[in-house]
Each structure stands twice: as structure tokens, then as C-alpha cells.
Amino acid sequence: MSVIHAATYHWTVEEYEKLNGAGIFTENDRVELLNGEIIVRSPIGYRHAQAVRRLTKFFVKAARARYELDPQNPFVLDERSEPQPDILLVDPKVEALRRHPRPDEIFLVIEVSETTVRYDREDKRPAYARNGIREYWLLNLEDNVLEVYRDAVGVNYADARVLGPDEFVAPLAFPDAQLRVGDFLP
């Protein structure tokens, strides 16, 4: 007996935006588009919210007009993906363009993950690498570590490190914005 898999429809960013504009989704709907699929995102728990708040405060203070901090807002990854990561460090010129940022305008993407580590690592990380996201951090609240991915090659990153609470890291684009991982783990 053969198994027949049903075909699924893969949305484009343009179609997804039209759904949003038609009121299909509200601001309370936690959805994002990744690889043509509309993903229902998990509710934000206390630890997740606290980590995002701490990261936001840190990166606002470190910005000095070098980048825009864009927390929990979408960017256009490719024609079939418009993810909404927890933190984006974006080229300040993007604001004048009146559109969502693109990969070449992003310095750093950070996902904070309490219940979605597998999705953020196995689905988002390859999509980010494939589209040239320079640097991707996954603040893994399950294991209380920061996964740092740099130097995109194909669907992976050549430089991948896992940092514990007492270790320090800074974005490649802003080496003076050094942070201690444990300061962002609630």
C-alpha cells in the first residue's frame, strides 16, 4: 500500500501581507511566515518576556545611532518567509525606506526560545543561513545557554558556538557591545 501525501499550498510574502491587510490576522494572532508556511507561534511566557526585555534594554543603550533595535517585528527573509524574531539589529537607513528590512540590512537576529528551541534551531536557522543572515543568536532558555551562529554557508553556519551563563559575547558588527550571557537568562 502506498502512502500519498497531500500537497500543501505555500504562501508568498505578498499573499501573506494581503491576508494581514484583509484583517484575516489581528495583532493578537501570533503567526509568522516561514518557508511558505503560516506558523502559529507559542504564547510568550514570563521567562521569554523577561529575556526579551533585558536584551532590549541592553541593545538600546549600546546602539549609539549605529543600528535600530527592532524587537518582535517582521522582516522579509525571502519571497516565502517573513519571520518575527525577538530582536533585530537593523541598519538605521531602513526606516526611511518604509518597508520591512531585508537580510542584507540586518546585523543580528536573536530568537529567545523557551518552548520552541527545535523550531528555532531546525527550521529558522537553516532558513536564516540560506538567505545570508550574517549572525543568528538563539537564547535557549531550556538549557540556559546562548547558541551563536556566524558565517552562513549554504543552509548552515560555519561558526557555531554554545556559550554558558558566565561567558561573554558581542555582535560581530559591534564588538564593543559585549554582554554576559547569564545577565539575560531569567
Side-chain angles (χ1 to χ4, degrees):
M1 181 166 142
S2 66
V3 176
I4 298 175
H5 294 280
T8 57
Y9 184 83
H10 286 251
W11 300 90
T12 66
V13 168
E14 183 179 346
E15 292 167 330
Y16 178 70
E17 289 290 332
K18 285 180 182 176
L19 290 174
N20 197 25
I24 302 298
F25 304 118
T26 69
E27 287 193 17
N28 295 327
D29 291 323
R30 293 198 28 88
V31 295
E32 67 184 357
L33 182 67
L34 188 68
N35 301 322
E37 298 178 354
I38 298 173
I39 308 295
V40 177
R41 298 172 45 184
S42 298
I44 295 174
Y46 171 76
R47 292 186 72 220
H48 182 281
Q50 188 68 21
V52 171
R53 193 174 300 115
R54 290 175 183 180
L55 285 163
T56 299
K57 286 179 186 178
F58 174 83
F59 282 113
V60 164
K61 287 179 184 176
R64 297 195 317 266
R66 300 176 296 176
Y67 57 80
E68 293 290 328
L69 178 70
D70 210 1
Q72 299 182 329
N73 284 324
F75 73 97
V76 177
L77 183 60
D78 60 30
E79 66 184 27
R80 295 196 178 275
S81 299
E82 192 176 275
Q84 289 183 276
D86 293 300
I87 301 285
L88 286 176
L89 301 188
V90 179
D91 188 318
K93 297 173 193 162
V94 171
E95 189 171 345
L97 300 175
R98 301 178 60 105
R99 61 166 173 70
H100 294 311
R102 309 279 194 266
D104 62 328
E105 300 160 333
I106 296 171
F107 299 111
L108 174 64
V109 174
I110 303 175
E111 295 285 0
V112 175
S113 184
E114 189 170 10
T115 60
T116 59
V117 171
R118 185 174 178 186
Y119 169 66
D120 292 335
R121 190 184 296 132
E122 295 179 12
D123 295 314
K124 284 191 171 181
R125 183 184 64 190
Y128 290 165
R130 182 177 62 248
N131 288 285
I133 294 296
R134 303 174 226 197
E135 186 168 11
Y136 170 49
W137 293 1
L138 172 57
L139 186 60
N140 176 341
L141 299 181
E142 284 183 9
D143 299 323
N144 290 315
V145 297
L146 177 67
E147 300 176 23
V148 176
Y149 301 98
R150 297 172 168 159
D151 191 17
V153 178
V155 296
N156 217 332
Y157 286 89
D159 182 8
R161 295 182 283 155
V162 178
L163 304 177
D166 292 324
E167 295 183 79
F168 290 82
V169 66
L172 286 174
F174 309 104
D176 62 309
Q178 188 173 46
L179 58 90
R180 182 180 161 274
V181 173
D183 292 342
F184 302 91
L185 296 169

